[in-house]
Amino acid sequence: MPASSSTAAVIGGGPAGLMAAEVLANAGIKVDVYDAMPSPARKFLLAGIGGMNITHSEPFDAFVARYGEREPQLRALLEAFGPNELREWIHALGIETFVGSSGRVFPKAMKAAPLLRAWLHRLRAAGVTVHARHRWTGWDETGALRFETGNGTKQVVPDVVVLALGGGSWPRLGSDGNWQARLAERGVSVKPLLPANCGFDVNWSEHFRMRFAGTPVKPVVATIATSNGERASRRGEFIVTATGIEGGVVYALSALLRDEILSSGSATIHLDLAPDRSEEQLVEALSKPRGRKSASEHLRRQAGIHGVKAGLLREGAMPDIDNVHRLAAHIKALPLVLARSRPIDEAISSAGGVAFEALDDKLMLKRLPGVFAAGEMLDWEAPTGGYLLTACFASGRVAGEGALRWLRKQG
């Protein structure tokens, strides 16, 4: 067992950091949590304002497949603390959960604040101290952790450190990615932070932008075929913005879209604007005589295409209304060129960060013994739907267990 006087510093008060703190405190370690913001878990709270999607109820193998190329690393973390364990942990806080029609899991109150209040109360009872407005600026020449506070610079020398500093999205809530240079200086492999679950720019015409910005487009099926042979389709909806597109179906494909833009300079998605009708059915309907009806009225009556969907067709150089075969093909696979990702500070989450190759199986930095990392600062990404939060909780728990194991070895 570690000495009763052992101390741990957890830097970052989001879900990953607080989970690591809980593991350590429950083992009798004196834990101090340092957060740059006036209060902990700011991003967690804001994400929960519209309905706190905490995890997902789909089968485990389908769940872990959502993490893409990092599935092997995330599988190991989630096998120790996955969606079911997370729900049980929430219930132990006195917070009920339910499964929505989409399979997503929510607290019954649909808010993050009651969960966070109950959790912080339990952490304080376990002896965890939270230090707000403590911005970590690295290590000093003696190896002490250095913090900038409202009362000047502060040095701390704990026995073990857990870094849970977030990624690069939502910097106004504390996740600014400034930790990258500090770790790189110490030889830690860090991959550049990139926007994830983000919107994309489209070169709209001024007429389309002025008329349809803010309008949802649903239902659609969006498909991308990348230059390296990957192909993916998602059904859902998105929102036209003044600069391009964002929303569920876009976020679900954002990793492929972003990487295609990085490698090829742009990405093209094909939109099926009538996903419940075949191309043959559209040809048959559009072939009906339109008489004295306008082209737009004929399109609305026979194909159900009007409003923003008709506007999208015109943006894509809609064929002559009487060329029904070309028009039906256009409705079923409308090309839309995406010029660039929106900036990372607008993204829901980020990709990149500390490479898993720089970590051991308990998330300790190989170049910095006794220093662990967890949460969004690791190099993984996932779609929205509860996958982001679940992996943050899981990685925080594993990092906490790793820090505890390391302390025991030192003792």
Side-chain angles (χ1 to χ4, degrees):
M1 293 293 292
S4 59
S5 59
S6 294
T7 59
V10 175
I11 306 176
L18 294 180
M19 183 59 80
E22 180 170 278
V23 170
L24 288 159
N26 287 345
I29 307 302
K30 177 65 179 72
V31 181
D32 290 279
V33 175
Y34 300 91
D35 197 272
M37 303 304 288
S39 59
R42 285 292 184 94
K43 183 177 178 181
F44 178 70
L45 282 174
L46 187 60
I49 286 177
M52 180 85 274
N53 178 198
I54 200 80
T55 189
H56 204 287
S57 63
E58 67 186 346
F60 185 76
D61 284 344
F63 188 97
V64 297
R66 304 291 187 175
Y67 297 93
E69 64 180 18
R70 286 305 188 184
E71 176 185 341
Q73 292 85 0
L74 271 296
R75 177 182 287 272
L77 305 181
L78 293 163
E79 284 177 343
F81 192 77
N84 292 334
E85 291 79 9
L86 177 55
R87 290 187 73 184
E88 291 172 3
W89 175 85
I90 293 171
H91 296 161
L93 283 169
I95 305 295
E96 296 182 47
T97 63
F98 72 94
V99 180
S101 59
S102 65
R104 298 184 180 200
V105 177
F106 303 88
K108 191 172 183 179
M110 293 293 289
K111 296 179 181 178
L115 191 160
L116 182 61
R117 281 197 300 269
W119 192 10
L120 290 173
H121 177 77
R122 190 166 73 181
L123 288 171
R124 293 188 187 101
V128 174
T129 302
V130 177
H131 305 268
R133 295 188 173 90
H134 278 60
R135 184 173 297 278
W136 181 59
T137 58
W139 292 268
D140 68 13
E141 62 278 0
T142 70
L145 298 171
R146 187 174 59 238
F147 297 91
E148 293 299 327
T149 76
N151 298 314
T153 302
K154 179 177 180 179
Q155 282 82 25
V156 177
V157 185
D159 296 306
V160 71
V161 177
V162 178
L163 301 176
L165 290 152
S169 64
W170 299 25
R172 66 188 184 281
L173 300 179
S175 298
D176 56 17
N178 287 339
W179 50 265
Q180 296 173 87
R182 296 170 200 137
L183 294 186
E185 286 171 358
R186 297 198 161 226
V188 176
S189 176
V190 177
K191 297 188 178 181
L193 293 177
L194 299 170
N197 291 296
C198 59
F200 293 86
D201 286 345
V202 178
N203 295 321
W204 299 131
S205 68
E206 187 62 21
H207 172 77
F208 183 85
R209 177 187 297 110
M210 294 296 293
R211 183 171 180 185
F212 293 112
T215 305
V217 184
K218 59 182 178 180
V220 296
V221 171
T223 300
I224 177 173
T226 69
S227 54
N228 62 7
E230 291 185 83
R231 182 182 177 86
S233 295
R234 295 290 186 275
R235 180 181 174 123
E237 62 183 85
F238 65 88
I239 296 174
V240 172
T241 70
T243 59
I245 58 174
E246 64 179 34
V249 75
V250 178
Y251 300 155
L253 297 172
S254 65
L256 285 174
L257 295 170
R258 179 200 63 225
D259 292 348
E260 179 69 4
I261 290 170
L262 289 174
S263 64
S264 302
S266 66
T268 299
I269 57 172
H270 286 83
L271 300 175
D272 182 349
L273 300 177
D276 298 320
R277 301 175 72 174
S278 68
E279 188 171 331
E280 291 74 17
Q281 288 173 324
L282 288 170
V283 168
E284 181 181 356
L286 291 167
S287 296
K288 294 178 180 179
R290 63 185 176 101
R292 302 177 69 177
K293 291 190 291 289
S294 67
S296 60
E297 180 63 13
H298 186 65
L299 192 61
R300 183 186 71 82
R301 284 176 176 267
Q302 301 303 329
I305 300 296
H306 57 97
V308 67
K309 286 188 175 181
L312 285 167
L313 277 177
R314 294 186 187 95
E315 284 289 289
M318 182 173 69
D320 187 318
I321 190 74
D322 295 320
N323 190 334
V324 294
H325 290 278
R326 285 193 61 204
L327 182 55
H330 221 50
I331 291 170
K332 294 297 290 181
L334 175 69
L336 189 63
V337 178
L338 311 183
R340 66 194 69 83
S341 306
R342 294 300 297 163
I344 193 170
D345 59 359
E346 295 180 12
I348 292 175
S349 58
S350 57
V354 176
F356 275 91
E357 294 74 18
L359 304 161
D360 70 8
D361 63 337
K362 287 295 185 179
L363 304 184
M364 185 172 76
L365 296 167
K366 296 174 182 177
R367 297 294 298 266
L368 300 173
V371 179
F372 296 76
E376 274 196 75
M377 67 183 296
L378 306 184
D379 177 28
W380 60 276
E381 62 180 305
T384 57
Y387 309 100
L388 293 164
L389 272 177
T390 305
C392 285
F393 280 107
S395 62
R397 194 170 187 89
V398 170
E401 291 169 348
L404 185 59
R405 182 180 70 174
W406 191 82
L407 284 172
R408 286 170 175 163
K409 287 182 178 180
Q410 305 312 301

